[in-house]
Protein backbone atom coordinates (compact mmCIF):
# COMPACT_ATOMS: atom_id res chain seq x y z
CA UNK A 1 0.00 0.00 0.00
CA UNK A 2 1.21 3.49 -0.85
CA UNK A 3 -1.18 5.06 1.60
CA UNK A 4 -3.02 3.56 4.52
CA UNK A 5 -5.24 5.75 6.64
CA UNK A 6 -6.19 4.03 9.88
CA UNK A 7 -9.00 5.07 12.18
CA UNK A 8 -8.47 8.77 11.46
CA UNK A 9 -10.39 11.24 13.57
CA UNK A 10 -10.64 14.96 12.97
CA UNK A 11 -12.76 17.52 14.77
CA UNK A 12 -13.32 21.24 14.50
CA UNK A 13 -13.70 23.19 17.70
CA UNK A 14 -16.14 25.96 16.97
CA UNK A 15 -17.77 28.57 19.20
CA UNK A 16 -21.04 26.64 19.33
CA UNK A 17 -19.61 23.15 19.74
CA UNK A 18 -17.31 20.50 18.35
CA UNK A 19 -17.97 19.33 14.79
CA UNK A 20 -16.89 15.73 14.43
CA UNK A 21 -15.92 15.81 10.76
CA UNK A 22 -13.95 12.55 10.51
CA UNK A 23 -14.88 9.69 12.83
CA UNK A 24 -12.59 6.75 12.32
CA UNK A 25 -11.85 6.66 8.61
CA UNK A 26 -9.83 3.70 7.36
CA UNK A 27 -8.86 3.46 3.72
CA UNK A 28 -5.90 2.60 1.56
CA UNK A 29 -4.53 2.92 -1.96
CA UNK A 30 -2.03 0.77 -3.82
CA UNK A 31 0.43 1.91 -6.47
CA UNK A 32 -1.38 2.13 -9.79
CA UNK A 33 -4.77 2.04 -8.10
CA UNK A 34 -7.57 4.60 -8.19
CA UNK A 35 -9.77 4.94 -5.14
CA UNK A 36 -12.89 7.03 -5.65
CA UNK A 37 -14.29 8.69 -2.54
CA UNK A 38 -18.01 9.40 -2.68
CA UNK A 39 -20.47 11.00 -0.31
CA UNK A 40 -22.72 14.01 0.06
CA UNK A 41 -21.44 17.46 0.84
CA UNK A 42 -20.06 17.64 4.39
CA UNK A 43 -19.32 13.93 4.72
CA UNK A 44 -15.62 14.57 5.41
CA UNK A 45 -14.08 13.70 2.04
CA UNK A 46 -11.97 16.84 1.77
CA UNK A 47 -11.08 17.03 5.45
CA UNK A 48 -9.69 13.48 5.30
CA UNK A 49 -7.66 14.46 2.22
CA UNK A 50 -6.42 17.63 3.90
CA UNK A 51 -5.30 15.62 6.91
CA UNK A 52 -3.33 13.30 4.62
CA UNK A 53 -1.74 16.25 2.82
CA UNK A 54 -1.01 18.06 6.08
CA UNK A 55 -2.93 21.15 5.02
CA UNK A 56 -5.76 20.95 7.51
CA UNK A 57 -6.99 24.25 8.88
CA UNK A 58 -5.56 23.93 12.44
CA UNK A 59 -7.07 25.46 14.50
CA UNK A 60 -10.05 25.11 14.43
CA UNK A 61 -9.25 21.61 13.10
CA UNK A 62 -7.56 19.01 15.27
CA UNK A 63 -6.51 15.44 14.55
CA UNK A 64 -7.64 13.51 17.61
CA UNK A 65 -6.72 9.99 16.59
CA UNK A 66 -5.49 7.57 14.00
CA UNK A 67 -2.52 7.01 11.73
CA UNK A 68 -1.66 8.10 8.21
CA UNK A 69 0.87 5.62 6.86
CA UNK A 70 2.47 6.84 3.67
CA UNK A 71 4.94 4.36 2.22
CA UNK A 72 5.15 2.83 5.65
CA UNK A 73 5.82 6.05 7.60
CA UNK A 74 3.24 7.66 9.87
CA UNK A 75 2.95 11.19 8.50
CA UNK A 76 1.39 12.35 11.76
CA UNK A 77 4.69 11.62 13.53
CA UNK A 78 6.87 13.63 11.13
CA UNK A 79 8.20 17.09 11.91
CA UNK A 80 6.68 19.89 9.82
CA UNK A 81 9.90 20.24 7.81
CA UNK A 82 9.95 16.53 6.86
CA UNK A 83 6.28 16.73 6.16
CA UNK A 84 6.85 19.60 3.75
CA UNK A 85 9.40 17.55 1.82
CA UNK A 86 6.93 14.69 1.42
CA UNK A 87 4.20 17.10 0.33
CA UNK A 88 4.76 18.15 -3.25
CA UNK A 89 7.52 15.68 -3.96
CA UNK A 90 5.97 12.34 -3.04
CA UNK A 91 2.40 13.34 -2.35
CA UNK A 92 0.54 15.87 -4.44
CA UNK A 93 -2.94 17.32 -4.57
CA UNK A 94 -5.12 18.70 -7.34
CA UNK A 95 -7.93 21.04 -6.37
CA UNK A 96 -11.18 22.00 -8.00
CA UNK A 97 -10.26 25.59 -8.60
CA UNK A 98 -6.95 26.04 -10.39
CA UNK A 99 -7.25 29.80 -10.55
CA UNK A 100 -7.10 30.18 -6.79
CA UNK A 101 -4.41 27.49 -6.42
CA UNK A 102 -1.99 28.87 -9.00
CA UNK A 103 -0.04 32.03 -8.34
CA UNK A 104 -1.55 34.80 -10.52
CA UNK A 105 1.64 36.87 -10.73
CA UNK A 106 3.98 34.08 -11.87
CA UNK A 107 4.06 32.63 -15.39
CA UNK A 108 3.09 28.98 -15.53
CA UNK A 109 6.65 28.20 -16.64
CA UNK A 110 8.07 29.82 -13.53
CA UNK A 111 5.60 27.97 -11.30
CA UNK A 112 6.28 24.61 -12.86
CA UNK A 113 10.00 25.29 -12.99
CA UNK A 114 10.05 26.29 -9.32
CA UNK A 115 9.29 22.69 -8.37
CA UNK A 116 12.53 21.55 -10.01
CA UNK A 117 14.59 24.44 -8.68
CA UNK A 118 13.41 23.96 -5.08
CA UNK A 119 13.18 20.17 -4.88
CA UNK A 120 15.79 19.09 -7.41
CA UNK A 121 18.26 21.95 -7.30
CA UNK A 122 18.06 22.50 -11.07
CA UNK A 123 19.19 25.66 -12.83
CA UNK A 124 16.48 28.06 -14.05
CA UNK A 125 17.22 27.12 -17.63
CA UNK A 126 16.91 23.37 -17.09
CA UNK A 127 13.82 23.90 -14.99
CA UNK A 128 12.24 25.89 -17.83
CA UNK A 129 12.93 23.01 -20.25
CA UNK A 130 11.29 20.63 -17.76
CA UNK A 131 8.27 22.93 -17.54
CA UNK A 132 7.82 22.81 -21.32
CA UNK A 133 8.16 19.03 -21.26
CA UNK A 134 5.48 18.75 -18.56
CA UNK A 135 3.12 21.03 -20.46
CA UNK A 136 3.57 18.74 -23.45
CA UNK A 137 2.80 15.74 -21.28
CA UNK A 138 -0.50 17.22 -20.15
CA UNK A 139 -1.20 18.01 -23.82
CA UNK A 140 -1.19 21.78 -23.69
CA UNK A 141 -0.73 22.91 -27.30
CA UNK A 142 2.16 25.27 -28.14
CA UNK A 143 3.81 24.63 -24.78
CA UNK A 144 7.03 26.36 -25.83
CA UNK A 145 5.21 29.67 -26.29
CA UNK A 146 2.60 29.30 -23.60
CA UNK A 147 5.15 28.58 -20.88
CA UNK A 148 5.61 32.38 -20.71
CA UNK A 149 1.93 33.07 -20.04
CA UNK A 150 0.11 33.71 -16.77
CA UNK A 151 -2.64 31.48 -15.34
CA UNK A 152 -5.47 33.87 -16.28
CA UNK A 153 -4.47 33.58 -19.95
CA UNK A 154 -5.50 29.92 -19.97
CA UNK A 155 -8.99 28.43 -20.22
CA UNK A 156 -10.40 26.54 -17.25
CA UNK A 157 -9.59 23.18 -18.78
CA UNK A 158 -6.02 24.21 -19.65
CA UNK A 159 -5.51 25.60 -16.15
CA UNK A 160 -6.62 22.29 -14.72
CA UNK A 161 -4.02 20.62 -16.94
CA UNK A 162 -1.40 22.93 -15.48
CA UNK A 163 -2.46 21.82 -12.00
CA UNK A 164 -2.07 18.23 -13.09
CA UNK A 165 1.38 19.06 -14.46
CA UNK A 166 2.35 20.66 -11.13
CA UNK A 167 1.14 17.60 -9.26
CA UNK A 168 3.02 15.24 -11.59
CA UNK A 169 6.23 17.24 -11.75
CA UNK A 170 8.21 15.28 -9.21
CA UNK A 171 6.54 11.96 -10.00
CA UNK A 172 4.75 11.50 -6.67
CA UNK A 173 3.69 8.10 -5.41
CA UNK A 174 0.19 9.40 -4.73
CA UNK A 175 -2.04 12.14 -6.07
CA UNK A 176 -5.20 13.25 -4.33
CA UNK A 177 -7.60 14.94 -6.72
CA UNK A 178 -10.45 16.73 -4.94
CA UNK A 179 -13.24 17.20 -7.48
CA UNK A 180 -10.69 18.07 -10.17
CA UNK A 181 -13.21 18.61 -12.94
CA UNK A 182 -16.27 19.92 -11.13
CA UNK A 183 -15.75 23.52 -12.25
CA UNK A 184 -15.39 22.59 -15.94
CA UNK A 185 -17.82 22.17 -18.83
CA UNK A 186 -18.99 18.61 -19.35
CA UNK A 187 -16.96 17.93 -22.51
CA UNK A 188 -13.80 19.41 -21.00
CA UNK A 189 -14.42 17.39 -17.82
CA UNK A 190 -14.15 14.16 -19.77
CA UNK A 191 -10.91 15.22 -21.50
CA UNK A 192 -9.24 16.26 -18.27
CA UNK A 193 -10.38 13.10 -16.52
CA UNK A 194 -9.08 10.92 -19.37
CA UNK A 195 -5.75 12.69 -19.20
CA UNK A 196 -5.48 12.19 -15.45
CA UNK A 197 -6.39 8.51 -15.77
CA UNK A 198 -3.82 8.00 -18.56
CA UNK A 199 -1.03 9.66 -16.62
CA UNK A 200 -1.90 7.77 -13.48
CA UNK A 201 -1.46 4.50 -15.36
CA UNK A 202 1.69 5.64 -17.08
CA UNK A 203 3.34 6.72 -13.83
CA UNK A 204 1.85 3.84 -11.83
CA UNK A 205 0.74 6.28 -9.14
CA UNK A 206 -1.90 5.81 -6.51
CA UNK A 207 -4.84 8.16 -7.09
CA UNK A 208 -7.53 9.20 -4.66
CA UNK A 209 -10.32 10.77 -6.63
CA UNK A 210 -12.93 12.69 -4.68
CA UNK A 211 -15.90 13.18 -6.93
CA UNK A 212 -19.66 13.54 -7.18
CA UNK A 213 -19.63 12.15 -10.69
CA UNK A 214 -20.71 8.53 -10.69
CA UNK A 215 -20.04 8.28 -14.44
CA UNK A 216 -16.40 9.16 -13.87
CA UNK A 217 -16.19 6.67 -11.02
CA UNK A 218 -17.46 3.81 -13.16
CA UNK A 219 -14.92 4.65 -15.89
CA UNK A 220 -11.72 5.23 -13.97
CA UNK A 221 -11.90 3.93 -10.40
CA UNK A 222 -10.78 0.51 -9.16
CA UNK A 223 -12.33 0.85 -5.75
CA UNK A 224 -14.94 3.03 -4.10
CA UNK A 225 -15.08 4.29 -0.54
CA UNK A 226 -18.42 5.81 0.42
CA UNK A 227 -18.42 8.32 3.27
CA UNK A 228 -21.25 9.40 5.51
CA UNK A 229 -20.94 11.72 8.50
CA UNK A 230 -17.19 11.27 8.66
CA UNK A 231 -17.19 7.49 8.39
CA UNK A 232 -16.63 4.99 5.63
CA UNK A 233 -19.94 3.19 5.28
CA UNK A 234 -18.97 0.96 2.38
CA UNK A 235 -15.75 0.17 0.57
CA UNK A 236 -15.45 -2.27 -2.30
CA UNK A 237 -14.23 -2.83 -5.85
CA UNK A 238 -16.19 -0.67 -8.29
CA UNK A 239 -17.88 -3.50 -10.15
CA UNK A 240 -19.16 -5.04 -6.89
CA UNK A 241 -20.76 -1.79 -5.82
CA UNK A 242 -22.43 -1.21 -9.16
CA UNK A 243 -23.69 -4.78 -9.22
CA UNK A 244 -25.25 -4.61 -5.75
CA UNK A 245 -24.56 -2.08 -3.01
CA UNK A 246 -24.10 -3.50 0.49
CA UNK A 247 -25.20 -0.31 2.25
CA UNK A 248 -28.54 1.51 1.89
CA UNK A 249 -26.70 4.83 1.65
CA UNK A 250 -24.63 3.63 -1.32
CA UNK A 251 -27.85 2.41 -2.87
CA UNK A 252 -29.39 5.85 -2.45
CA UNK A 253 -26.36 7.53 -4.01
CA UNK A 254 -26.47 5.24 -7.04
CA UNK A 255 -30.14 6.03 -7.52
CA UNK A 256 -29.56 9.78 -7.32
CA UNK A 257 -29.92 11.83 -10.46
CA UNK A 258 -27.19 14.24 -11.49
CA UNK A 259 -28.48 17.74 -12.11
CA UNK A 260 -27.36 19.45 -15.26
CA UNK A 261 -28.45 22.90 -14.10
CA UNK A 262 -26.26 22.91 -10.98
CA UNK A 263 -22.77 21.58 -11.45
CA UNK A 264 -21.63 19.20 -8.78
CA UNK A 265 -25.10 18.89 -7.32
CA UNK A 266 -27.28 15.83 -7.34
CA UNK A 267 -30.93 15.37 -6.76
CA UNK A 268 -30.72 12.82 -4.01
CA UNK A 269 -33.04 9.88 -3.99
CA UNK A 270 -32.28 9.81 -0.29
CA UNK A 271 -34.78 11.79 1.74
CA UNK A 272 -33.67 14.21 4.43
CA UNK A 273 -30.33 15.78 5.19
CA UNK A 274 -26.98 14.60 6.54
CA UNK A 275 -26.69 14.99 10.33
CA UNK A 276 -25.35 17.98 12.17
CA UNK A 277 -21.73 17.00 12.87
CA UNK A 278 -21.97 18.60 16.29
CA UNK A 279 -24.77 16.19 17.16
CA UNK A 280 -24.48 12.92 15.23
CA UNK A 281 -27.37 10.58 16.09
CA UNK A 282 -26.59 7.49 18.19
CA UNK A 283 -26.47 4.10 16.51
CA UNK A 284 -25.94 4.29 12.76
CA UNK A 285 -25.57 7.93 11.71
CA UNK A 286 -27.67 7.21 8.63
CA UNK A 287 -30.62 5.68 10.54
CA UNK A 288 -32.98 8.72 10.44
CA UNK A 289 -32.88 8.63 6.62
CA UNK A 290 -32.63 4.92 6.06
CA UNK A 291 -35.57 3.03 4.55
CA UNK A 292 -34.28 -0.20 6.12
CA UNK A 293 -33.68 1.08 9.67
CA UNK A 294 -34.73 -1.13 12.60
CA UNK A 295 -34.50 -0.52 16.35
CA UNK A 296 -30.93 -1.79 16.57
CA UNK A 297 -29.86 0.89 14.07
CA UNK A 298 -30.99 3.61 16.49
CA UNK A 299 -28.92 2.25 19.36
CA UNK A 300 -25.90 0.29 18.10
CA UNK A 301 -23.27 1.77 15.85
CA UNK A 302 -22.59 -0.85 13.17
CA UNK A 303 -18.98 -2.00 12.83
CA UNK A 304 -17.42 -2.27 9.36
CA UNK A 305 -18.57 -5.80 8.54
CA UNK A 306 -16.43 -7.92 6.26
CA UNK A 307 -18.77 -8.65 3.36
CA UNK A 308 -15.98 -10.46 1.59
CA UNK A 309 -12.22 -10.31 1.39
CA UNK A 310 -11.98 -6.85 -0.14
CA UNK A 311 -15.38 -5.49 0.71
CA UNK A 312 -16.73 -3.81 3.86
CA UNK A 313 -20.10 -2.43 4.89
CA UNK A 314 -21.09 -0.57 8.03
CA UNK A 315 -24.70 -1.73 7.96
CA UNK A 316 -26.33 -4.15 10.38
CA UNK A 317 -28.40 -5.37 7.46
CA UNK A 318 -25.80 -5.57 4.71
CA UNK A 319 -26.97 -9.05 3.70
CA UNK A 320 -30.54 -7.85 3.20
CA UNK A 321 -29.23 -4.83 1.32
CA UNK A 322 -27.14 -6.99 -1.02
CA UNK A 323 -30.08 -9.24 -1.74
CA UNK A 324 -32.63 -6.45 -2.00
N1 LIG B 1 -12.05 24.95 7.92
C1 LIG B 1 -13.08 24.43 8.59
N2 LIG B 1 -13.52 24.99 9.73
C2 LIG B 1 -14.56 24.46 10.42
N3 LIG B 1 -15.21 23.34 10.05
C3 LIG B 1 -14.81 22.73 8.95
C4 LIG B 1 -13.74 23.23 8.14
N4 LIG B 1 -13.57 22.41 7.08
C5 LIG B 1 -14.50 21.45 7.22
N5 LIG B 1 -15.24 21.62 8.32
C6 LIG B 1 -16.33 20.75 8.82
O1 LIG B 1 -16.10 19.45 8.30
C7 LIG B 1 -17.23 18.98 7.57
C8 LIG B 1 -16.78 18.13 6.43
O2 LIG B 1 -16.17 18.95 5.45
P1 LIG B 1 -15.55 18.42 4.10
O3 LIG B 1 -15.00 19.63 3.45
O4 LIG B 1 -14.62 17.31 4.35
O5 LIG B 1 -16.81 17.88 3.31
P2 LIG B 1 -16.82 17.19 1.88
O6 LIG B 1 -17.25 15.79 2.08
O7 LIG B 1 -15.53 17.43 1.19
O8 LIG B 1 -18.01 17.99 1.17
P3 LIG B 1 -18.11 18.63 -0.32
O9 LIG B 1 -18.67 17.54 -1.17
O10 LIG B 1 -19.08 19.75 -0.13
O11 LIG B 1 -16.77 19.10 -0.72
C9 LIG B 1 -17.97 20.26 7.20
O12 LIG B 1 -19.34 20.03 7.05
C10 LIG B 1 -17.69 21.16 8.36
O13 LIG B 1 -18.58 20.89 9.42
MG1 LIG C 1 -14.95 18.59 -0.39
Amino acid sequence: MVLEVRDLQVEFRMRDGVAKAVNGVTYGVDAGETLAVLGESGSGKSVTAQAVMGILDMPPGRITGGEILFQGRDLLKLKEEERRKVRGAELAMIFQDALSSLNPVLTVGDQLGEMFVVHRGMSRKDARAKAVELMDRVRIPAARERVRQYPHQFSGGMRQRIMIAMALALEPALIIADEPTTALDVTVQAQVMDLLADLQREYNMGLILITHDLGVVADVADRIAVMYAGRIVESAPVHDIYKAPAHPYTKGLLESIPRLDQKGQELYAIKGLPPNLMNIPPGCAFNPRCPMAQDVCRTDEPPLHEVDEDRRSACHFWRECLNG
Side-chain angles (χ1 to χ4, degrees), residues 12 14 19 21 39-47 57 60 179 212 277:
F12 290 93
M14 311 306 284
E40 279 163 293
S41 189
S43 56
K45 305 180 299 292
S46 297
V47 169
D57 206 3
E179 311 208 26
H212 285 263
L277 297 173

Side-chain angles (χ1 to χ4, degrees), residues 98-111 146-160 162-163 166:
L99 205 50
S100 59
S101 310
L102 296 169
N103 187 335
V105 299
L106 286 182
T107 66
V108 300
D110 284 343
Q111 285 178 72
R146 301 208 74 182
V147 72
R148 284 175 234 285
Q149 294 185 333
Y150 293 89
H152 74 268
Q153 294 174 285
F154 290 80
S155 68
M158 287 298 153
R159 274 200 295 268
Q160 215 57 12
I162 294 163
M163 284 258 282
M166 295 272 282

Side-chain angles (χ1 to χ4, degrees), residues 5-6 17 48 106 124 156 160 199 206 224 233 245 248 281 286 288 320:
V5 175
R6 287 193 194 150
T48 305
L106 286 182
R124 293 267 156 207
Q160 215 57 12
L199 292 166
I224 295 184
V233 293
F286 185 56
E320 288 76 359

Side-chain angles (χ1 to χ4, degrees), residues 108-216:
V108 300
D110 284 343
Q111 285 178 72
L112 285 167
E114 186 76 8
M115 308 278 294
F116 298 99
V117 173
V118 170
H119 290 270
R120 296 280 187 266
M122 277 188 192
S123 70
R124 293 267 156 207
K125 185 159 170 278
D126 290 348
R128 170 59 59 106
K130 276 283 195 187
V132 173
E133 191 187 310
L134 271 173
M135 287 173 72
D136 273 333
R137 284 231 106 144
V138 296
R139 303 175 205 151
I140 294 175
R144 206 170 288 281
E145 289 80 52
R146 301 208 74 182
V147 72
R148 284 175 234 285
Q149 294 185 333
Y150 293 89
H152 74 268
Q153 294 174 285
F154 290 80
S155 68
M158 287 298 153
R159 274 200 295 268
Q160 215 57 12
R161 286 167 194 266
I162 294 163
M163 284 258 282
I164 294 174
M166 295 272 282
L168 279 176
L170 304 169
E171 306 192 10
L174 177 73
I175 289 188
I176 302 179
D178 193 349
E179 311 208 26
T181 62
T182 307
L184 305 175
D185 290 339
V186 178
T187 47
V188 182
Q189 276 184 4
Q191 293 162 5
V192 172
M193 207 52 241
D194 284 348
L195 172 73
L196 186 58
D198 285 353
L199 292 166
Q200 184 252 346
R201 262 190 302 269
E202 196 180 316
Y203 287 75
N204 198 36
M205 295 178 297
L207 175 65
I208 295 180
L209 181 65
I210 299 171
T211 178
H212 285 263
D213 189 337
L214 291 169
V216 163

Side-chain angles (χ1 to χ4, degrees), residues 246-313:
H247 196 289
Y249 181 62
T250 312
K251 195 163 183 238
L253 281 185
L254 293 182
E255 286 165 0
S256 302
I257 314 150
R259 294 179 56 160
L260 296 174
D261 56 332
Q262 278 174 285
K263 278 182 204 166
Q265 297 278 312
E266 277 102 325
L267 195 63
Y268 283 101
I270 311 160
K271 289 199 178 67
L273 293 170
N276 176 350
L277 297 173
M278 291 188 185
N279 190 13
I280 298 176
C284 170
F286 185 56
N287 89 72
R289 304 171 71 188
C290 182
M292 294 176 68
Q294 309 284 321
D295 285 345
V296 63
C297 307
R298 291 180 262 275
T299 53
D300 296 8
E301 191 186 325
L304 259 184
H305 293 282
E306 192 167 313
V307 173
D308 61 42
E309 203 186 327
D310 53 0
R311 180 164 202 186
R312 303 282 181 278
S313 165

